[in-house]
Amino acid sequence: MGLICEKGRLWVLDQTLLPNKVEWLRADSPSKMAKYILDLKVRGAPLIGVAAAAALARHAEEGADWEEFRASAKLLRRARPTAVNLMAAVDRMLAACQPARQEARGGKDLAGKAAAEAERIFDEDVALCRRIAEHGARFIKDGESVLTHCNAGGLATAGIGTAVGVIRAAHESGKRIHVYVDETRPLLQGARLTAWELESLGIPYTIVCDNMAGSLMRRGKVRGIFVGADRIARNGDFANKIGTYPLAVLARHHGVPFYCAAPVTTVDLSISTGDGIPIEERSPEEVRRDWGPKRARVHNPAFDVTPADLVEAMILDVGVVKRADLIKGRLPSRVSPNSRVRHEPKVDRAA
Ligand code: MRU
């Protein structure tokens, strides 16, 4: 978990420094939190929603009035464009605090409402993760090796994570499992963060470069692939960290079941297919680093879209949706918290 609130102060774990350095940063204003989210110090779809809500709650506690609160909500909402959890959490905060508008001159009632809602968002995320893990653990058998991409673990949520939560539950139930961890270019969330988490959980793992997954599958070393999601469209297409889609294609070719694990807060019923999901384009420096020519043109989308028909099953907190139902658009109707999310214009970080 990468966020704590202690003695009225909000702290986030700087995920860009892991695993070499464990450093907690004080997030004492919404603008600071928005910058931390943009810079990926705070990351992972569920966590950025929780973090934005917590930052708004702190803002209200420090005396922000309704107009200031709303302006900060707008800023946080735009910090990253793909994970719908962020917009949904901010919208939820606004909706919960709205009735406080009249009385909110001194910010007192606003502060109470904002704190209560932020706490609910946090607690719900913890519970959602737990339920995903309970539904998903059965898809990993004793003695199997599985593969995961990016970091969909405790660092990316308020709870035990989504895809990594599933893996953790299988491990804790006594199954002997092994995890191949895609390093996840360009920012290495797999090699740095997932490996760090698995290490501390005592789950055996091996880091592989992204381009090694195919040959592992060909050699029969991978029995299942488990990934998270940043946004799931109505038809079951989903956006996740760049490199997820080619993994799904490889999995289909090699007959390896491919699972997406996510909470309801990641479903966006207002978007009909994956084509409508806004994909964040990030800075060329993340790819060029020190080794590419300074003037080299770079394409750096942070996410790609995996079509639903490549997914064996979607493991949600409300239950498991198999491919046949997914492609018929049968996401459970209970999964509708984000159907009213307002959408921002596309953001291009490279510009
Ligand atoms: O750019 P990031 O590191 O925030 O990307 C994170 C992912 O792609 C995760 O897989 C996703 O947010 C799910 S986290 C439970």
Side-chain angles (χ1 to χ4, degrees):
M1 205 245 298
L3 176 139
I4 47 173
C5 195
E6 209 176 63
K7 295 189 191 129
R9 295 206 165 142
L10 190 57
W11 299 88
V12 294
L13 181 57
D14 184 345
Q15 299 196 28
T16 61
L17 301 178
L18 290 173
N20 297 324
K21 203 166 171 201
V22 176
E23 189 170 306
W24 289 86
L25 305 168
R26 194 151 153 221
D28 49 15
S29 68
S31 58
K32 220 173 216 182
M33 183 65 93
K35 181 83 169 80
Y36 290 160
I37 291 172
L38 169 65
D39 292 345
L40 266 57
K41 292 178 186 299
V42 182
R43 51 149 295 283
L47 186 68
I48 60 177
V50 170
L56 283 172
R58 281 298 307 136
H59 194 38
E61 268 162 24
E62 305 224 308
D65 65 19
W66 174 248
E67 288 316 318
E68 289 163 336
F69 187 84
R70 257 188 4 162
S72 297
K74 199 168 166 188
L75 182 80
L76 281 159
R77 209 177 182 283
R78 288 188 173 153
R80 292 191 78 188
T82 302
V84 74
N85 308 59
L86 175 62
M87 297 96 201
V90 170
D91 289 353
R92 225 178 115 169
M93 290 296 287
L94 286 170
C97 299
Q98 181 98 20
R101 189 177 177 175
Q102 301 308 324
E103 319 101 67
R105 293 268 144 76
K108 221 170 169 210
D109 189 51
L110 179 64
K113 291 197 165 161
E117 190 64 10
E119 213 166 296
R120 261 194 296 275
I121 290 173
F122 185 102
D123 291 345
E124 276 176 27
D125 191 54
V126 173
L128 293 172
C129 289
R130 185 48 72 189
R131 288 207 288 274
I132 291 166
E134 281 161 12
H135 292 306
R138 70 184 149 103
F139 294 113
I140 306 178
K141 307 257 175 316
D142 186 30
E144 282 186 350
S145 286
V146 297
L147 185 140
T148 189
H149 188 69
C150 193
N151 172 262
L155 285 168
T157 65
I160 61 169
T162 57
V164 174
V166 168
I167 291 168
R168 177 176 172 171
H171 167 77
E172 285 174 354
S173 72
K175 293 174 191 165
R176 288 154 303 162
I177 61 174
H178 177 266
V179 187
Y180 286 106
V181 180
D182 251 2
E183 67 174 353
T184 317
R185 278 280 289 151
L187 297 178
L188 310 179
Q189 288 94 328
R192 294 186 303 105
L193 309 177
T194 301
W196 187 70
E197 281 194 33
L198 294 176
E199 180 96 35
S200 60
L201 292 167
I203 302 176
Y205 69 93
T206 303
I207 298 172
V208 293
C209 300
D210 301 351
N211 53 10
M212 297 169 186
S215 100
L216 277 179
M217 285 186 233
R218 185 171 164 79
R219 286 158 55 215
K221 299 277 189 197
V222 180
R223 310 305 296 199
I225 297 178
F226 293 82
V227 298
D230 281 75
R231 195 183 298 223
I232 303 170
R234 204 162 59 228
N235 72 340
D237 295 351
F238 72 97
N240 190 48
K241 180 52 56 193
I242 190 74
T244 301
Y245 167 61
L247 269 182
V249 174
L250 282 167
R252 168 62 56 86
H253 181 75
H254 294 96
V256 174
F258 184 90
Y259 301 95
C260 171
V264 289
T265 43
T266 303
V267 176
D268 184 354
L269 294 179
S270 73
I271 285 188
S272 55
T273 76
D275 292 342
I277 300 176
I279 299 293
E280 175 186 10
E281 178 79 23
R282 292 187 62 91
S283 156
E285 296 307 325
E286 292 181 350
V287 174
R288 274 199 300 251
R289 300 287 165 129
D290 292 335
W291 50 81
K294 282 282 158 260
R295 292 177 54 189
R297 249 184 266 155
V298 167
H299 175 46
N300 185 20
F303 302 95
D304 57 24
V305 172
T306 299
D309 73 309
L310 294 178
V311 177
E312 179 77 13
M314 203 150 257
I315 305 165
L316 304 170
D317 51 282
V318 289
V320 172
V321 187
K322 294 260 176 71
R323 179 188 305 121
D325 287 326
L326 208 54
I327 58 184
K328 283 186 206 139
R330 294 203 187 134
L331 277 170
S333 57
R334 272 203 291 151
V335 180
S336 59
N338 298 333
S339 50
R340 288 193 306 275
V341 167
R342 285 178 296 113
H343 294 291
E344 303 287 348
K346 203 173 165 193
V347 180
D348 188 344
R349 302 257 175 255

